[in-house]
Every structure is written in structure tokens, then in C-alpha cells.
Amino acid sequence: MDRGHVVPPSILAPPTATSEGEQEMFLPGETHRLELTRERGIVTEVPAGSEEQLSAPGDETMIINLGPQHPSTHGVLRLMMELDGEEVLRVKPVIGYLHTGMEKTAEDLMYIQGSTNVTRMDYLNPLGNELCFSLAVEQLLDLEVPPRAAAIRVLMAELCRINSHLIWFATSGMDLGATTVMIHGFRERELILRFFERTTGLRMNCDYIRPGGVAADLPDGWADDVAEITSVIPRRLDESRNLLDDNPIFRRRTQGVGILTREEAVALGATGPILRATGVAWDLRKAFPYSGYEQYDFEVPTHDDCDVWARYQVRVAEIYESARIVEQVIETMPAGDYRVQDKKVTPPPRHRIDTSMEALIHHFKLFTEGFKVPPGETYVAVESPKGELGCYLVSDGGARAYRQHTRGPCFYHVHAMPAMMVGGLVADAVLVIGSSDPVLGEVDR
Amino acid sequence: MEFDGWTALIGTGTVVAVFVVVMLMVILAVWAERRVAAVMQTRIGPNRAGPFGLLQTIADGIKLLMKESITPRQVDRLVYELAPLLAVLPAFLALAIVPFGPGFCIGGQGTDCSGGYFVDMQIANLNVGVLWFLSMSAIGVYAALLAGWGSGSKYPLLGGVRASAQVISYEAALSLSVVPVVVAAGTLDTQGIVLAQSQYRWFLLPLFIPALFFFVAALAETNRPPFDLVEAESELVGGFHTEYSGVRFMLFFLAEYVNVVTISALFVTFFLGGWTGPYPVAGSVNWAPLFGAIWFLAKTVCIIGIFFWLRVTLPRLRYDQLMALCWKRLIPINLVYLMAVAVWVAYQATGDLPRLVGGG
């Protein structure tokens, strides 16, 4: 073996063709206008001649893959970047590494099974996904859930929001090398997961909110558990924020970094905290209230700086607002049924199956055939922690959806990443990923 | 004093003793870092291997020794294999000038130890000790640089570029923070610097700003958080050592911690009075050298503790901010401070300030 042979490091000249097809990022000299338009987002048209402004091939730029296996891409996001030293010249997100075909699967599942399917999409917001799907089914069924069911749904959705934001808080601390923040975020989240486990039986992917209500009533002593969550988490979050908020390193890392202007945010379909960080107070809980959100008193935090810092401020403020909503839910939780008393949709209570023939038949038919939904189509959107989570549902009158499509906010935010990253440094790109808080399960579905 | 077998034996013994002490400190430092971080982050930390998990580092070391050292196809073999050695050798060589305690005399008489053997509690009592340390840490830069280049991979390349810029810049800041000490002590000899600080005339107070800057530069020099850009996990995967595994990775890891120990020891030497302490006053008891070593190690451990503390507290800086900090803050302020110290020392010596300032 020729050990002395030195293979020249061909790092600066990557192979020009791979089998990635449409997802390939081309070298500057081979990038045409359509390709650039695609990279920068279809809605922002690239003027003619832009491709000539790209650096010539052979210049000292480097195309690098950030992901899909990379410590800070929050899942299996892959970003192809053209770098000039540390500066990001072009970015192209590549998705599909977590594509599991959940939307197609939904066409083979009965509506009663649908929650189990959608809960896996945004795995940090499982109950929010279930809520969105259930609302869509209920709209097609023209069904009104009892007030207690609606209140439980709000409770769970807001706890999920806190849960999701805590994970974001933790991981964006990790992106900055602030490991203590990371541990703290996960520690606080544990409280919420324990409550989920106690209520639904599962820590994640709860399958708890179902068409017609929720799967089970809240356990005894739930109010104390939740009150502990709402008292502990804001207090501990104050402590964790001490490590970041007034830290000059953190401020200089985040302020003025990853800017997405209001126009760009609207044009690229960004919603949720990213849009609110550009000063737009757009929150579906206020704009189109569902599940009785109009009864609760809460603010929609906004910020005008459009940068990573603004998104940080907005999300942290939302944790406190969600805690406020949860406190109000504890006080105003109505008594009554936790699911709609409609024999065609809701399975009968277990103990009645042994005594009532009719209950047995209903139970059997519900779990073998499912319930039929009148033909029609609907789109229902809820405010997930990431933004507008929509469920588009088409029914042909059967027990299975003809088509189910999810509008995942993260998909649009991944699409907006190049706009935020270009011109920054690699270190900023990592922060941009963190501040858009993508969950690839939802992007790829 | 003649050079004979005893001198050679004493010299060898010193080397072995320093090596053992430092390796023990490194092993404990790796363990302590994880435990301290765990306490600060309300975790448990390693507690399985041995009492309190003390053997964890040894277990990890054995694991790394047993693992395959993967050599990727694209590497530049020579450079790739040289880099870990270049990391670990200067790290240990820099230790040579660390004075662990006052020298003592075996079998001799009087202050000049006539007829006996004088034992320095340091490997080499060089009269240019500070220069030796600075040059060794300068060689250490090549490790990250060559590892980044020789790996033939993109993330290590970025890490190597960062390393070359960062460590070379902070090398300048580090040197400039030491110069006021040298001026104030009037010697490049580390023992001399310690002796200049006896009776609590520690340089920390008069030279507070150089001390602070030395510490900041030391963090950057050893690639410790918040200046760990060279191996920033969330940005560059593993930085310059992404492609290293097994023993070669262990050498980088070892070098980092040896550097932490060395630079903490030198901080103590330069600014915290080295081995001097409240008890005993030099030469008052027979065990003075031992107490000196204890004071020295205790102070060093405190400084290492600050390294750990900062690691769990601070987020990482960005590349351009790091360079701006070095060139726009540390170096200019240090230069001004150096001027002030030089003027003050000259004034002390000559008692004639106007002539100095006016240049007349």
C-alpha cells in the first residue's frame, strides 16, 4: 500500500453533479435565473441578470452541506450553502428526510383513528395537531363540543405551546453554546410531560383530543398539578432568562441577526412568532377564535425588530401569556361532559357495553366501520406554537377522509430561511434555524 | 555544583513528578468539569465508575484507546497524523517552566547549597521562561490549523481557518498581557516573577487589567467556552477534530486540558503570587517547599474552576465579534497599560518622571 501517497484535498471543487435532481445546488456558473428564483422563494421574483452577479466558478467559494446529520439543524433539515469564507452567499433548504406519508396514510384511516396519525406531525405540539384535525372533522359533522371539552382542549393546547416554546428555548441556547439553558428548558418541560402522561397515558403523541371531544376526563387533582406548572415554570423561566436576556454576548449574537422584514414575512407565508416578531399582531386565537379562546384574557406579544432577538422576546412572552390562559382555564373549568353525547360519533362508556345491546352494537360499529362524515370540504386553522397550523379535509361521505392536507407553519418557515440567512455568517445561520423553530416531522409529514 | 548521576536523577525525577501531578490534575479536571457542570445545571453527572465517578475519565480514556482510529480517505496522511502530536507535545513542553514551589537543597550547606544538590520544583528553570511558554503555545496553534487542513473535509477546514485567525490573534493579546508582568518583575524567569510577588505584592491588583485580559486570552488560546469557536459543535460539528477518532482524538482532548492546567498555573504564577502563601513564610520551616506546592496547586484549582464556571454560564461569541474584541479592545488597552507600567517602573527606578515623559 502506498502510504506516502497524498490525495489532494479536493474540498474547493465539489463534484458538479450528484443524483439529487431538483434538490441539487448548482455552482455559481451553472445557476440560471429560474434556479435562483427557486432558491430565494417563488414569491420574490429574481430580476434578470442576477445570476451574473454570482461569483464566477473557481472563485474561492465553497458549497457545504449543513445537515441532514448536523448537531444544530433541529432534526433532519438539510441546508446547502454557498460560503465565501464564513459568509453565507446562497442557501437552499432540502427537505424530505423525514417524509413518512402521513397525509396519504390519513386516507386509509377512519376519522376516529385520525388523531393518532396527525399527532406525530409536529411532535412538540401533539395536542395542537389533534385539535386542528378534530376541529376540521367536527366542522364537517356540524358538531358542537360541550364547553368542558372545549376548555380541556384549550388547557392542553396551551400547555403544549409552553412545552414547544421550552424546547425551542433550550435548543436555541444549545445553538449558542449555552448548555445550562438547554438543561433548564428540558427540566421545566418535564413537568408538563408528566401531566400529559397522567392525563392521557402518554408523554408525547398523546392521541387525546378526538373528534367529538377528548378521550378521557381530566384526572382527579388535575387543578393542583396544573397550578404547580403555572407557578413553577414562569418562576424558573425568569431564572433561566437571567443567563441570556441581559448577557451582552447573547444580545450581540441575536440583535440585528437573521432579519426577515414584515413584507418578506407576509410574502413568504411566515406566521406565528416569526410574523409577530415583525410587529404584526396576527394570532388566530384572536383573529378567528376557536374552542372558546374568546373567553380568555391574554395579550398577543409582538416586537418590531424583525431579528432573532425579536423572535426570542416574542416566544418568551408567549410562555407567560399561555401560563395566564392556563390559570384562567383552571378557574373557569365548566362541569359537564368531556365529549359530545352523540351515539354516532362517541363510543359508549365501557360499563354500558355489558348491559346494553345497543351500546355494544354502537361500539362495534364505531370501531370497525367508523362514523360517516357528510360529503364536503373544509379548512380549519389553529394557532400552533409555530404559527398557522391548518387542516384541509375533503370527505366523500365515507368513514375515511378522501383527502387530508396539513398546512404546517414550519414548511413555510424553512422556505423563509434563505431570506434570513443570506449575507450573514455560518454562526448566524445556526441561530436563524433555531429562531424559526422548525419541526421536520411537520415539514415533511 | 558538578553535573553527575545525582543531578540527572533529580532532573528525571522532577520531570516524572510534574508529569504525574499534571496528568492527575487533568484526569481530575475532566471529571470535576463534568461534576461541577452537573451541579450548576441541576444534573447528577458521571457517578458510576469508581467512587463519585472519579474513574470516569480513565474509563473514557481506555475506551478511546481501544477504539479504531478511523482515517478518512481524503486526508493528507502526514499532516493528519502530525496534528494531534503537535497539539499534545507543546502542551506538555510548556509545563516545563511552571514553578510548582520554591527550590530546596538536599545535603548542602548555606544559601548557595554548596556541596549538595539544589532541586527546583520545576522542570527547567530557564531565564527566558516566559518566552518558552509563549513559543510553545504558538506551536500549539499549528495543531488546529494542520488538523483542519489535513482532514480534507469542509467542517474541519472552517474550524482550521477559525483556529488560525483566533489563536494567532489571541496569541498577541496573551503576550501583551504578560509583558507588563515582565516589566514589573524585571525578569523573564518564572521563579523570579514569583519572588517579585512575595509578601502579598501580587500583581493581580496593580496589573488587574492585564490579568483580566490574560484570562480572556487564555480562554481563547485554549479554545474553551465562550471562545470555543474552533470546535463549536452547533456550528462546525466538531470543528478541526471532526474527522479524528480514537487515540488521535484523545490526544486533542488531552492537549486541551493540559493547556487549561498550564495556563491556569501560569495565571497563578504571573498574577496570584505563584507558590507564595500565608504559611509558612519562606524558609521558616523545613517543609516550606511542600507548602509552597500546596498553595500553588490550590490557587491553580481555583482558576480552573473559573474556566468551568464560565463554560456553563456564557453563550458563545461570533467569529467577527471575537476578532473585534481582540484587536479593538484587548490589544490597544493592553498597549496603553503597558506604557503606563513602563513609565511607572522607570519612575520608581530613576525618580524622574518629567524627563521620562518629555523624552528630554
Side-chain angles (χ1 to χ4, degrees):
Chain A
M1 201 178 94
D2 182 14
R3 282 177 62 92
H5 179 65
V6 175
V7 180
S10 57
I11 355 183
L12 296 176
T16 47
T18 61
S19 54
E20 299 281 347
E22 289 287 297
Q23 299 193 329
E24 178 66 22
M25 186 183 214
F26 295 97
L27 288 171
E30 300 157 4
T31 308
H32 48 83
R33 190 171 152 210
L34 180 65
E35 182 62 31
L36 264 186
T37 309
R38 232 185 244 144
E39 276 177 20
R40 295 185 191 173
I42 302 297
V43 286
T44 46
E45 197 188 339
V46 173
S50 299
E51 63 268 41
E52 285 148 25
Q53 292 167 13
L54 297 176
S55 52
D59 267 4
E60 301 224 329
T61 64
M62 170 163 95
I63 290 182
I64 194 168
N65 266 314
L66 198 75
Q69 285 101 10
H70 186 279
S72 61
T73 51
H74 296 234
V76 285
L77 176 63
R78 175 177 167 204
L79 295 167
M80 300 191 80
M81 292 183 173
E82 188 188 352
L83 301 181
D84 180 11
E86 293 249 339
E87 196 191 342
V88 179
L89 299 178
R90 288 189 299 152
V91 181
K92 190 172 180 182
V94 180
I95 60 169
Y97 293 93
L98 205 56
H99 181 68
T100 43
M102 283 187 251
E103 285 175 353
K104 189 70 186 166
T105 309
E107 295 168 16
D108 287 332
L109 295 176
M110 293 179 294
Y111 291 102
I112 205 166
Q113 297 170 312
S115 292
T116 319
N117 186 36
V118 294
T119 192
R120 281 153 173 78
M121 289 180 177
D122 177 354
Y123 42 77
L124 297 182
N125 179 36
L127 291 149
N129 300 335
E130 296 164 18
L131 175 62
C132 183
F133 175 78
S134 302
L135 286 173
V137 176
E138 282 155 15
Q139 191 156 76
L140 284 176
L141 284 167
D142 199 15
L143 206 66
E144 189 78 27
V145 297
R148 185 174 175 86
I152 294 175
R153 286 175 170 189
V154 170
L155 172 72
M156 298 308 249
E158 291 309 311
L159 286 177
C160 256
R161 189 182 315 279
I162 300 176
N163 165 34
S164 171
H165 282 349
L166 283 175
I167 292 290
W168 155 81
F169 185 75
T171 49
S172 50
M174 192 69 202
D175 290 342
L176 278 161
T179 45
T180 306
V181 171
M182 153 105 177
I183 302 284
H184 282 186
F186 275 89
R187 180 187 68 185
E188 269 77 285
R189 175 197 188 224
E190 195 60 30
L191 289 171
I192 295 174
L193 290 189
R194 286 210 192 108
F195 178 70
F196 284 170
E197 186 176 10
R198 200 159 128 71
T199 308
T200 72
L202 289 164
R203 287 157 60 87
M204 288 171 79
N205 304 337
C206 303
D207 188 21
Y208 179 69
I209 298 175
R210 295 178 186 176
V214 294
D217 206 351
L218 292 169
D220 294 341
W222 66 273
D224 297 336
D225 291 357
V226 179
E228 198 204 335
I229 292 174
T230 54
S231 71
V232 167
I233 287 185
R235 199 181 69 230
R236 288 198 184 157
L237 189 64
D238 287 338
E239 290 172 14
S240 307
R241 285 175 64 196
N242 280 342
L243 290 167
L244 296 181
D245 272 27
D246 292 325
N247 186 327
I249 300 179
F250 179 73
R251 280 177 171 255
R252 286 175 66 193
R253 282 299 304 274
T254 53
Q255 285 177 333
V257 165
I259 289 187
L260 189 72
T261 63
R262 188 177 303 180
E263 289 72 25
E264 285 171 333
V266 171
L268 288 163
T271 48
I274 297 186
L275 183 62
R276 291 195 280 276
T278 64
V280 182
W282 178 254
D283 189 323
L284 293 175
R285 292 175 297 174
K286 289 276 191 201
F288 303 103
Y290 51 89
S291 289
Y293 265 111
E294 64 276 10
Q295 304 161 24
Y296 306 106
D297 174 36
F298 63 98
E299 303 290 321
V300 178
T302 59
H303 205 283
D304 291 327
D305 283 2
C306 309
D307 53 8
V308 174
W309 170 254
R311 285 166 222 143
Y312 169 84
Q313 291 295 338
V314 167
R315 285 206 181 88
V316 166
E318 279 181 16
I319 298 180
Y320 293 105
E321 290 303 321
S322 289
R324 263 179 74 196
I325 298 176
V326 170
E327 278 167 0
Q328 294 171 50
V329 174
I330 300 174
E331 284 164 19
T332 61
M333 176 64 76
D337 287 324
Y338 61 89
R339 54 185 178 181
V340 71
Q341 289 304 320
D342 180 337
K343 293 188 180 65
K344 299 297 174 195
V345 177
T346 311
R350 270 277 163 190
H351 62 87
R352 289 205 49 219
I353 297 172
D354 299 335
T355 53
S356 159
M357 189 62 185
E358 197 194 18
L360 181 65
I361 292 169
H362 274 299
H363 185 270
F364 181 75
K365 286 188 67 94
L366 260 180
F367 284 98
T368 49
E369 292 175 7
F371 54 82
K372 290 191 165 49
V373 168
E377 61 178 320
T378 187
Y379 174 80
V380 172
V382 300
E383 185 72 23
S384 96
K386 278 92 185 170
E388 177 181 338
L389 173 68
C391 181
Y392 173 68
L393 205 56
V394 182
S395 169
D396 57 358
R400 291 170 170 81
Y402 177 77
R403 173 83 171 99
Q404 191 243 309
H405 171 74
T406 300
R407 184 225 187 260
C410 298
F411 178 77
Y412 296 84
H413 296 159
V414 168
H415 192 53
M417 275 180 194
M420 294 189 250
M421 285 177 182
V422 169
L425 301 177
V426 181
D428 295 337
V430 169
L431 287 192
V432 166
I433 299 173
S435 77
S436 15
D437 195 16
V439 166
L440 270 290
E442 185 185 79
V443 174
D444 291 344
R445 298 188 289 277
Chain B
M1 192 167 64
E2 295 292 310
F3 184 84
D4 57 17
W6 285 109
T7 319
L9 190 66
I10 288 169
T12 316
T14 321
V15 171
V16 171
V18 168
F19 184 77
V20 167
V21 166
V22 168
M23 280 309 282
L24 274 177
M25 283 183 81
V26 165
I27 286 169
L28 288 177
V30 176
W31 169 81
E33 166 157 41
R34 297 174 66 180
R35 292 292 287 204
V36 167
V39 169
M40 289 185 183
Q41 297 175 337
T42 61
R43 293 184 288 119
I44 296 170
N47 67 349
R48 297 288 106 184
F52 308 108
L54 272 169
L55 302 179
Q56 185 64 46
T57 316
I58 297 172
D60 288 344
I62 292 171
K63 183 197 77 173
L64 284 172
L65 278 171
M66 310 270 272
K67 278 189 137 182
E68 182 191 357
S69 265
I70 300 163
T71 308
R73 194 158 34 89
Q74 269 200 325
V75 302
D76 186 332
R77 281 292 293 236
L78 178 70
V79 178
Y80 180 78
E81 288 181 6
L82 189 65
L85 299 178
L86 267 180
V88 83
L89 284 181
F92 277 110
L93 287 176
L95 272 171
I97 49 96
V98 174
F100 284 82
F104 55 91
C105 184
I106 298 177
Q109 304 286 324
T111 49
D112 59 346
C113 202
S114 57
Y117 296 94
F118 192 76
V119 183
D120 282 315
M121 286 182 85
Q122 73 189 85
I123 295 173
N125 193 354
L126 295 179
N127 55 4
V128 289
V130 176
L131 284 184
W132 172 265
F133 156 67
L134 290 176
S135 50
M136 281 307 130
S137 70
I139 292 178
V141 180
Y142 284 96
L145 186 60
L146 294 181
W149 176 253
S151 292
S153 172
K154 291 174 186 180
Y155 285 111
L157 181 68
L158 281 175
V161 170
R162 283 184 177 189
S164 55
Q166 171 186 332
V167 187
I168 290 169
S169 304
Y170 275 86
E171 192 70 43
L174 191 75
S175 315
L176 275 176
S177 327
V178 180
V179 177
V181 175
V182 174
V183 171
T187 175
L188 282 165
D189 172 11
T190 46
Q191 278 291 1
I193 290 172
V194 172
L195 289 173
Q197 299 176 73
S198 56
Q199 281 141 26
Y200 298 115
R201 282 175 294 143
W202 290 3
F203 286 149
L204 181 68
L205 283 181
L207 301 180
F208 182 73
I209 289 176
L212 187 68
F213 288 0
F214 181 88
F215 191 78
V216 171
L219 284 172
E221 189 72 16
T222 50
N223 298 326
R224 294 283 303 175
F227 301 107
D228 58 338
L229 286 89
V230 171
E231 43 196 301
E233 190 201 9
S234 58
E235 294 155 25
L236 301 184
V237 192
F240 65 90
H241 59 60
T242 306
E243 302 288 352
Y244 284 89
S245 52
V247 179
R248 295 194 191 117
F249 171 74
M250 193 180 78
L251 290 181
F252 279 118
F253 195 78
L254 179 67
E256 178 181 328
Y257 280 86
V258 173
N259 277 328
V260 168
V261 171
T262 312
I263 224 152
S264 305
L266 283 166
F267 186 87
V268 171
T269 307
F270 292 153
F271 299 105
L272 293 181
W275 41 261
T276 60
Y279 178 86
V281 183
S284 63
V285 289
N286 287 339
W287 293 101
L290 183 66
F291 280 106
I294 289 172
W295 285 120
F296 183 80
L297 292 180
K299 288 176 192 172
T300 308
V301 165
C302 291
I303 299 299
I304 297 176
I306 299 179
F307 272 79
F308 299 162
W309 178 25
L310 288 179
R311 179 192 163 142
V312 291
T313 312
L314 293 179
R316 188 183 298 123
L317 267 79
R318 202 173 63 197
Y319 178 63
D320 55 332
Q321 295 166 350
L322 185 80
M323 301 312 263
L325 176 70
C326 181
W327 290 105
K328 292 184 183 164
R329 301 279 161 80
L330 300 192
I331 289 181
I333 296 176
N334 247 333
L335 278 172
V336 171
Y337 208 89
L338 173 61
M339 292 283 283
V341 171
V343 169
W344 175 253
V345 169
Y347 172 68
Q348 290 283 320
T350 62
D352 191 4
L353 196 59
R355 250 191 71 214
L356 281 166
V357 175

